[in-house]
Amino acid sequence: MILGVSYDLLRWEERNLIEEAKKIGNKVYPLFTKDMTFLTSEDAWYQDVDAVIQRNTSHSRAVATSMLLESMNFRVYNDSLSLVRCENKIQTTFLLRSRGIPVPKTAIAFSRDKAMEMASKLGYPVVIKPVEGSWGRMVARAQDEDTLRSLIEYQEFTNLQYKTIYYIQEYVNKPNRDIRIFVIGDEAPVGIYRVNEKNWKTNTALGAIARPLKIDEELRDLALKVKEIIGGFFLGIDVFEDPERGYLIGEVNGVPEYKNTVRVNQFNVSGFLLNKLNEVIKK
């Protein structure tokens, strides 16, 4: 297989992916996005590429490069439509909810007053999140009306694209952890608990510790159903454990990090991904 890896930051994941691909005999084109250009009158110099793995950390670059490469008839994993569904929390949550996937109670409002009204309906504490974003940035918990009003005002004075659209979610009474489970192709082979005993946020970027996860059948089936709805080839799915309702899908990541998953599970995510990709290409 001749593989392209599109990236804007060479993290552990991208380096490992390139190394593993070369190790099993694949030719690899590292495609550094900031050096790439596209011209309607010219074909790409890497026309012999069988597939491109999308690894841009910037959502806008990821979507744009996937879209451009798809327009030139390259097979891109993940594709642009899947990336849009993953990044936009409104699309993720309400698309999954419309297909019967359990999600936290979530309200969308388009004015400050309606956002406050919906928060009261959900019941405090609530969580306010930017419509697009990752690593837990600007995700905040409001214990009461005064706090939420301040958080809303803060959001309105940012440069966020959706700063006047309010994504308000119930605070799920989960243990001091959440679950990140990976779907690769048609399998959900590995996952982790993300544990944070000092902060209610469970992002590893904010100090949470990765622990091995034993995937039960219910969780595996749920993850695969999410993949069928969202699309894509390689997803990181965040799951909350509610003491009464069971598993709830929080978010879906279309360019997931997996360094900690490899470390605590001793599982070769890059190798598994490349083998599944080879299966698809051969078909």
Side-chain angles (χ1 to χ4, degrees):
M1 180 169 63
I2 302 176
L3 181 69
V5 178
S6 177
Y7 68 96
D8 53 8
L9 181 64
L10 198 60
R11 302 169 294 177
W12 181 92
E13 286 82 357
E14 290 71 46
R15 292 196 302 270
N16 184 253
L17 195 56
I18 292 169
E19 289 169 7
E20 289 294 322
K22 290 179 178 177
K23 194 182 295 183
I24 59 176
N26 295 314
K27 183 177 180 180
V28 182
Y29 285 128
L31 304 175
F32 182 50
T33 306
K34 293 180 181 179
D35 285 345
M36 294 175 70
T37 57
F38 294 85
L39 188 61
T40 54
S41 58
E42 293 181 0
D43 291 329
W45 55 266
Y46 39 86
Q47 281 296 317
D48 54 345
V49 164
D50 295 307
V52 176
I53 297 180
Q54 180 57 258
R55 292 298 307 169
N56 277 275
T57 58
S58 162
H59 172 64
S60 58
R61 290 194 194 103
V63 171
T65 51
S66 281
M67 194 178 298
L68 286 161
L69 290 165
E70 289 158 15
S71 74
M72 301 168 75
N73 296 317
F74 288 102
R75 288 181 281 193
V76 188
Y77 305 90
N78 286 321
D79 61 276
S80 57
L81 179 57
S82 300
L83 292 173
V84 169
R85 287 173 174 166
C86 289
E87 175 65 13
N88 187 295
K89 294 182 180 66
I90 296 174
Q91 287 205 42
T92 303
T93 302
F94 283 82
L95 179 58
L96 292 178
R97 181 256 180 193
S98 72
R99 299 286 292 275
I101 299 297
V103 296
K105 296 175 185 175
T106 305
I108 308 300
F110 299 90
S111 72
R112 188 185 301 189
D113 289 344
K114 285 297 180 182
M116 299 300 300
E117 181 182 316
M118 295 309 293
S120 295
K121 189 172 183 178
L122 288 173
Y124 289 93
V126 296
V127 177
I128 181 170
K129 300 179 179 182
V131 173
E132 293 187 352
S134 57
W135 297 315
R137 290 175 300 198
M138 286 193 62
V139 175
R141 180 173 58 183
Q143 297 285 2
D144 50 40
E145 289 187 7
D146 285 344
T147 306
L148 181 61
R149 209 175 287 277
S150 296
L151 292 169
I152 286 174
E153 183 175 310
Y154 173 66
Q155 177 175 301
E156 291 172 347
F157 280 89
T158 65
N159 60 358
L160 293 173
Q161 181 179 357
Y162 300 103
K163 62 183 180 181
T164 55
I165 300 178
Y166 310 98
Y167 182 104
I168 312 291
Q169 197 168 70
E170 67 168 317
Y171 176 72
V172 177
N173 186 28
K174 57 184 175 62
N176 60 351
R177 68 186 189 189
D178 71 2
I179 290 169
R180 165 65 65 87
I181 183 170
F182 292 88
V183 173
I184 305 174
D186 56 358
E187 296 187 47
V190 69
I192 54 172
Y193 288 113
R194 302 188 299 184
V195 182
N196 197 336
E197 297 179 354
K198 297 180 180 179
N199 192 318
W200 66 276
K201 295 183 184 180
T202 48
N203 308 77
T204 53
L206 298 176
I209 298 170
R211 300 287 187 220
L213 167 69
K214 184 177 180 180
I215 303 171
D216 61 37
E217 284 303 312
E218 181 185 358
L219 182 58
R220 178 177 284 104
D221 290 346
L222 181 60
L224 292 174
K225 286 178 182 175
V226 170
K227 186 261 182 185
E228 289 177 9
I229 296 166
I230 296 295
F233 187 80
F234 178 34
L235 303 176
I237 302 171
D238 295 344
V239 186
F240 301 147
E241 301 164 279
D242 183 87
E244 297 178 358
R245 293 170 290 177
Y247 295 130
L248 304 175
I249 300 299
E251 299 180 12
V252 183
N253 193 313
V255 186
E257 296 174 271
Y258 54 89
K259 177 182 178 180
N260 290 319
T261 302
V262 171
R263 178 177 55 82
V264 302
N265 287 287
Q266 296 301 301
F267 183 86
N268 188 344
V269 172
S270 292
F272 193 94
L273 170 61
L274 292 163
N275 286 333
K276 297 301 289 187
L277 200 53
N278 263 308
E279 290 176 12
V280 171
I281 298 302
K282 286 177 181 178
K283 291 179 182 178

